[in-house]
Amino acid sequence: MMNQIPAATLRQAVTRNVAASIAEDEGSGDRTAALIDPERKVEASVIIRHAGVIAGRPWVDESFRQVDPQLAVTWHCNEGQQVDADTNLLTITGPARSLLTAERIALNWLQTLSGVATRCRSYADRVAHTQTQLLDTRKTLPGMRIAQKYAVRCGSCANHRIGLYDGILIKENHITSCGSITAAVERARETSPDVPLEVETETEAQVAEAIAAGADHIMLDEFPLESMTRVVERYSGIARFEASGGITEQKLATIAETGVDFISLGVLTKDVTAADLSLRIKDDD
């Protein structure tokens, strides 16, 4: 079950996210930046201290724009690009006061989203020799769902459901509450016939029931490798299969080689290691 972020949703998220981050940081005003001559213009560069994949340009550009439209941003790398340590990512010119007010706001977005993209690229590289696509989950930082899922795509992975509204994923508690997999699938087909439908299974018997009920996307939750291989071979071409649960970076290639279509990983977004960035104002001398 792969979905994409609609362009309008992305634009709204960028505007809303940045406005909120400015409000929480600037509040009633930047008291330290107020010490600087309002007429002073400067140039600054943002450097990454280690190799990584860059993501977050829309949020960075919007941060500088919302703080002060006079701030001009020039990028020296592309979104989703793998860069080396000590690469100059972008240059900002304009009023010193505004630049310093916007600094942390912009860097917070860039460091977080680049961290997500870097991890995703590392994981994606491990399964590049297979046809398996890595998917994120809804295990995202509160308020940052769209931003993190955007960064996932910059890192060569893909998006699972954006939210509860754009797909049906029938999990263990839904099955228990509905009475059975069959009952849950039948109800889903009645209420939302055109919405992607996935069923979480824990045994081969549940896989058989889900397929008989008409599910076309099956999650194999913590399946043993032998069982996963058997299921994929038996139902190849009938349903799409997604491995999930307890999957580490070291196990990725082995699981992908079973032939599963997808592997979903909460770790792509919930355990974020931010990129190490530094902004330096150019010395007038």
Side-chain angles (χ1 to χ4, degrees), residues 146-164:
I146 299 301
Q148 287 195 284
K149 284 183 173 284
Y150 168 91
V152 164
R153 300 183 70 88
C154 290
S156 302
C157 294
N159 301 143
H160 206 288
R161 294 185 296 173
I162 306 303
L164 296 172

Side-chain angles (χ1 to χ4, degrees), residues 92-121:
I92 313 102
T93 57
R97 278 189 177 186
S98 301
L99 191 153
L100 291 173
T101 295
E103 173 187 2
R104 179 45 52 197
I105 296 161
L107 293 193
N108 279 350
W109 288 108
L110 187 59
Q111 70 184 24
T112 303
L113 301 189
S114 294
V116 171
T118 298
R119 169 166 288 177
C120 287
R121 184 68 54 80

Side-chain angles (χ1 to χ4, degrees), residues 9 37 42 45 68 77 84 100 104 140 145 150 160 162 173 179 185 187 207 214 220 251 270 279 282-283:
T9 300
D37 181 351
V42 294
S45 295
D68 187 345
C77 63
D84 296 328
L100 291 173
R104 179 45 52 197
T140 52
R145 172 72 52 83
Y150 168 91
H160 206 288
I162 306 303
N173 287 331
V185 171
R187 181 61 175 157
V207 172
L220 307 175
K251 295 179 182 178
K270 73 184 182 71
L279 183 147
K282 182 178 179 181
D283 194 321

Side-chain angles (χ1 to χ4, degrees), residues 81 90 109 150 189 219:
Q81 181 179 337
L90 66 149
W109 288 108
Y150 168 91
R189 292 303 189 196
M219 178 184 289

